[in-house]
Amino acid sequence: MIMARDPESATVEVDLPADFDEFWAETLRLTDEVPPDPELVSVPRMSTPAVDVFELRYTSYDQMRIAAWLTMPAGHPPGTAFPAVLHVPGYISEPSVLKSWSERGYVTVGLAPRGKLRSNGRFNPGYPGLLTHNMVDRFTYGYRGFYADVVRAVDVLATLPGVDPDRVGIWGSSQGGGLGIVAAALRPEVVRCVAAGAPYLCGIMASPGWTHSYPYEEINEYLRVHPEHERLLTETASYFDGLNFAPKVRAPIFVYLGMEDDVCPPETGFAVYRLLESEKELHTYPRCGHDSGLRWVIPLVEKFVDSHLHPEGVGA
């Protein structure tokens, strides 16, 4: 008999390493030692009369040069400071050019962390490949630099001309949802709100037991070849699991889940939501998969972000 799943009540446990905070403080210290050297290059062919588009590049952990798309409202008076939103793409997705958000009064960054196109000159594990890249060692695990790239993007965005550093938020789904939680936990003094859909990288080692979809199937495949490494993978994953970052989030957060998600099991979404201690709201969508109710939820995401960042002319 096949037992019905009960995602809301499922138990997802992740050990919290004793040196979790020290590991991430050292990672950020090493990142902070690297001058970011941000560079903005105008891209007229992608711009419109209402929105200016730029290619943004900055230097991150281990001297990696990272690319992103930046959009901002066109024709603004000198000294204007806009709210800003960082968008982190999904696992296999490339960064978005969020012109529609700039039309509503935001500066946006669509990020390409290491391994993504334009940021893969020195690091390119492939997709699949990133999730288990050097996963036997937390110090060289591929996601260590990837996480640092997102945190540095928050720092760079908050200091760019035209950005109000007191109005910075994060929005993303899947990998973007998980990394939004991570960045909000590591930069609580900067991030003012987070919208996280179908958060990936939460319950990392539990998820392969609920799904055989990628990316988590990478772990199943790796352990079929290297079963002796399960302890090492579990130990490394505990330093990167969103469940261990969630209690450190201080910003208001909007979480949305698809109840039939076969990529990021909803069990893990409920688990991370329970651990969030900041102001929070949860939206669930029956009969929706990894899209997490995208058709219905985007207006709610925009309303949530607007309510906290107050773009000019939108619910000020």
Side-chain angles (χ1 to χ4, degrees):
M1 177 183 296
I2 299 176
M3 300 296 293
R5 286 165 60 176
D6 183 9
E8 189 168 1
S9 301
T11 299
V12 183
E13 296 182 350
V14 179
D15 289 337
L16 177 64
D19 63 341
F20 180 87
D21 290 337
E22 289 78 4
F23 174 79
W24 284 107
E26 176 65 5
T27 301
L28 297 183
R29 185 190 69 79
L30 292 171
T31 305
D32 290 342
E33 284 184 348
V34 179
D37 294 330
E39 178 186 14
L40 279 174
V41 177
S42 178
V43 187
R45 64 182 174 80
M46 298 175 67
S47 300
T48 70
V51 178
D52 292 327
V53 178
F54 300 83
E55 183 168 25
L56 168 66
R57 292 186 182 269
Y58 63 89
T59 307
S60 183
Y61 176 84
D62 195 29
Q63 301 288 337
M64 198 80 70
R65 197 70 175 159
I66 304 302
W69 297 115
L70 182 140
T71 69
M72 65 168 35
H76 53 85
T80 303
F82 295 101
V85 171
L86 172 67
H87 185 263
V88 184
Y91 191 74
I92 62 172
S93 303
E94 293 300 328
S96 299
V97 184
L98 300 177
K99 296 180 188 180
S100 63
W101 280 73
S102 287
E103 289 171 353
R104 298 174 50 249
Y106 288 93
V107 173
T108 79
V109 164
L111 184 61
R114 65 190 64 204
K116 295 292 185 183
L117 290 176
R118 300 177 302 128
S119 299
N120 58 4
R122 283 181 48 210
F123 179 80
N124 189 10
Y127 299 90
L130 174 61
L131 179 57
T132 54
H133 181 80
N134 286 347
M135 198 176 177
V136 293
D137 183 346
R138 65 183 180 275
F139 294 102
T140 59
Y141 185 32
Y143 262 122
R144 188 185 192 192
F146 200 101
Y147 281 30
D149 295 345
V150 178
V151 175
R152 169 133 286 185
V154 171
D155 295 342
V156 169
L157 178 56
T159 60
L160 289 176
V163 170
D164 182 345
D166 294 323
R167 292 189 291 167
V168 175
I170 305 176
W171 166 53
S173 289
S174 192
Q175 181 172 255
L179 269 294
I181 291 169
V182 169
L186 294 176
R187 284 292 185 260
E189 71 280 9
V190 179
V191 177
R192 294 291 179 257
C193 65
V194 182
Y200 171 56
L201 299 163
C202 297
I204 294 171
M205 295 303 291
S207 293
W210 278 304
T211 180
H212 289 283
S213 295
Y214 289 92
Y216 287 122
E217 185 62 12
E218 290 182 38
I219 293 176
N220 288 328
E221 289 184 342
Y222 182 94
L223 291 177
R224 280 193 285 270
V225 179
H226 301 287
E228 73 279 9
H229 289 171
E230 183 171 5
R231 180 188 63 81
L232 292 174
L233 265 61
T234 300
E235 179 180 315
T236 296
S238 67
Y239 287 87
F240 294 84
D241 202 299
L243 271 66
N244 285 336
F245 287 97
K248 302 177 183 299
V249 174
R250 295 294 172 261
I253 184 166
F254 178 109
V255 179
Y256 52 102
L257 309 173
M259 295 301 288
E260 296 186 16
D261 191 340
D262 67 340
V263 177
C264 295
E267 287 86 349
T268 63
F270 281 107
V272 75
Y273 185 79
R274 285 193 295 270
L275 290 168
L276 291 164
E277 298 176 0
S278 61
E279 176 188 333
K280 60 185 180 180
E281 58 181 283
L282 175 67
H283 294 255
T284 60
Y285 293 89
R287 298 180 298 279
C288 286
H290 196 50
D291 67 295
S292 306
L294 194 64
R295 174 181 176 184
W296 301 278
V297 79
I298 290 301
L300 301 180
V301 168
E302 292 176 347
K303 182 178 179 180
F304 168 80
V305 176
D306 289 348
S307 71
H308 292 286
L309 301 187
H310 304 296
E312 285 72 9
V314 182

